[in-house]
């Protein structure tokens, strides 16, 4: 059976620079079925879902619903729901958690502050605490958005959970169905595509130790897509694996070409030229459409390390 994910893989579509963008992720446990627009098409009160979408708009916060892997018959609302919030910008990476019985107080959060990396309202409104467990592995399984997410994501989530991996959740939407199965690893915010169980275990083990696996990585959600591609290119060129070692400090230009400056915590800087191309030949970007498209791709065309004086001048 040909699907958008098999076509993408057969055509060897590049995966770097395709992650969803968000400085902060807010995750709410919601069991039961999800529609394509899960915040307003699930057993969550749709009025609350619409209000949450409006509150997060333009703040850098991305809201998603999560549920435990397995069957999704909904026998009523959960007595308790798990909530996580994670800020993914290097130098201020954190993840806090809370347990709630009513999701309505989520509207009392300061979404602008959360997007900027301030967790105080989460802690005060929801009695949140720093998350001390394993990294989270959020596997996209929302078949109502694209069948690949259900066909490939749900077995991956189930296998990870059955093998004893802690922190595995199904999530509503990470973008890029054609890279299924896709997952996001928190707190660091790196997304992965075409994920296999053994590779995910390596990714999570590395994240536990504060390291990033580049293989299969779509990018860090903290950066826009040119920055995602540039940062991964620097990791490949230098072998740098430390999770918070690199930051995108400047992006000049506009589509289809950018000059991205990537900085290391040790003071080194790199200038990375990123060009937006199109993936050929045209192909379905989703199983939900018969329209053929040419997905944008981020191609790194040049990378050079800057001398300190040059970096400071930029």
């Amino acid at each position: 059976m040909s699907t958008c994910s098999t076509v993408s893989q057969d055509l060897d579509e590049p995966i770097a620079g395709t992650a969803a963008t968000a400085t902060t992720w807010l995750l709410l446990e919601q069991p039961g079925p999800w529609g394509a627009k899960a915040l307003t098409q699930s057993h969550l009160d749709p009025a609350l879902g619409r209000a949450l979408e409006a509150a997060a708009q333009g703040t850098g916060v991305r809201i998603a619903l999560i549920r435990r892997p397995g069957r999704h018959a909904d026998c009523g609302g959960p007595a308790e729901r798990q909530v996580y919030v994670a800020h993914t910008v290097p130098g201020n990476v954190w993840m806090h958690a809370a347990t709630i019985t009513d999701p309505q107080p989520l509207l009392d959060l300061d979404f602008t502050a959360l997007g900027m990396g301030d967790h105080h309202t989460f802690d005060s409104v929801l009695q949140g605490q720093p998350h001390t467990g394993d990294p989270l592995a959020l596997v996209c399984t929302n078949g109502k958005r694209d069948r690949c997410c259900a066909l490939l994501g749900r077995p991956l989530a189930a296998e990870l959970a059955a093998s004893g991996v802690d922190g595995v959740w199904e999530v509503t939407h990470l973008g890029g169905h054609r890279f299924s199965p896709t997952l996001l690893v928190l707190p660091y915010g790196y997304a992965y595509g075409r994920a296999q169980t053994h590779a995910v275990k390596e990714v999570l083990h590395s994240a536990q130790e504060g390291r990033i696996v580049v293989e299969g990585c779509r990018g860090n959600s903290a950066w826009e897509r040119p920055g995602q591609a540039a940062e991964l290119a620097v990791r490949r060129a230098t072998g740098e694996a430390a999770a918070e070692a690199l930051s995108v400090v400047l992006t000049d230009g506009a589509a289809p070409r950018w000059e991205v400056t990537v900085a290391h915590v040790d003071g080194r800087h790199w200038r990375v030229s990123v060009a937006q191309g199109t993936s050929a030949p045209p192909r379905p970007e989703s199983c939900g459409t018969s329209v053929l498209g040419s997905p944008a791709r981020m191609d790194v065309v040049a990378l050079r390390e800057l001398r300190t004086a040059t970096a400071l001048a930029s």
Side-chain angles (χ1 to χ4, degrees), residues 15-27 56-64 86-89 115 173-176 183-184 186 188-192 218-229 248 251 258 298:
I15 206 166
T18 65
T21 57
T23 56
T24 303
W25 291 81
L26 179 63
L27 309 169
Q57 187 73 30
T59 63
V61 177
R62 188 175 176 115
I63 305 173
H87 188 64
T88 63
V89 177
H173 184 47
L174 297 177
L183 77 147
L184 176 75
L186 293 176
Y188 298 114
Y190 285 83
Y192 291 83
R218 299 175 61 193
N220 184 340
S221 74
W223 316 126
E224 296 296 325
R225 292 181 177 181
Q228 294 173 12
V248 174
T251 301
W258 301 265
M298 294 293 151

Side-chain angles (χ1 to χ4, degrees), residues 30-293:
Q30 177 58 58
W34 297 331
K37 298 180 179 179
L39 275 179
T40 54
Q41 296 175 343
S42 70
H43 289 184
L44 182 70
D45 177 1
L48 174 60
R50 284 190 293 272
L52 287 171
E53 284 181 336
Q57 187 73 30
T59 63
V61 177
R62 188 175 176 115
I63 305 173
L65 303 182
I66 57 174
R67 64 191 176 194
R68 292 293 187 184
R71 294 176 58 85
H72 302 305
D74 192 353
C75 302
E80 292 186 334
R81 301 169 187 255
Q82 191 67 36
V83 185
Y84 296 100
V85 64
H87 188 64
T88 63
V89 177
N92 186 31
V93 169
W94 50 260
M95 180 160 59
H96 284 217
T99 303
I100 63 175
T101 55
D102 177 9
Q104 194 70 31
L106 291 171
L107 291 176
D108 295 329
L109 298 176
D110 184 336
F111 284 86
T112 298
L114 287 174
M116 296 176 66
D118 182 346
H119 52 71
H120 287 96
T121 62
F122 183 87
D123 296 345
S124 61
V125 171
L126 304 180
Q127 285 72 59
Q129 298 287 336
H131 174 69
T132 57
D134 290 341
L136 301 189
L138 306 167
V139 182
C140 186
T141 63
N142 192 349
K144 290 296 175 64
R145 291 198 69 97
D146 192 283
R147 62 179 176 174
C148 285
C149 297
L151 292 172
L152 301 174
R154 289 191 64 188
L156 174 63
E159 187 174 351
L160 288 168
S163 66
V165 175
D166 290 329
V168 179
W169 293 86
E170 298 186 6
V171 69
T172 46
H173 184 47
L174 297 177
H177 335 283
R178 63 191 186 278
F179 302 120
S180 295
T182 63
L183 77 147
L184 176 75
V185 177
L186 293 176
Y188 298 114
Y190 285 83
Y192 291 83
R194 301 174 186 147
Q196 302 299 318
T197 302
H198 67 280
V200 174
K201 289 181 177 180
E202 180 187 353
V203 166
L204 293 174
H205 177 72
S206 297
Q208 185 76 47
E209 298 180 345
R211 294 182 293 109
I212 301 303
V213 173
V214 173
E215 186 67 29
C217 190
R218 299 175 61 193
N220 184 340
S221 74
W223 316 126
E224 296 296 325
R225 292 181 177 181
Q228 294 173 12
E231 190 247 20
L232 289 176
V234 172
R235 286 193 181 276
R236 289 192 189 93
T238 61
E240 180 58 71
E244 296 187 70
L246 298 175
S247 293
V248 174
V249 295
L250 184 66
T251 301
D252 282 328
R257 183 142 182 147
W258 301 265
E259 296 294 325
V260 182
T261 304
V262 178
H264 195 288
V265 290
D266 66 9
R268 287 179 290 164
H269 288 71
W270 294 264
R271 183 69 47 78
V272 186
S273 299
V274 180
Q276 179 177 299
T278 55
S279 296
R283 79 290 302 274
E285 296 183 52
S286 169
C287 290
T289 178
S290 58
V291 177
L292 299 183

Side-chain angles (χ1 to χ4, degrees), residues 7-19:
V7 171
S8 175
Q9 187 156 13
D10 289 346
L11 294 175
D12 198 25
E13 182 182 349
I15 206 166
T18 65

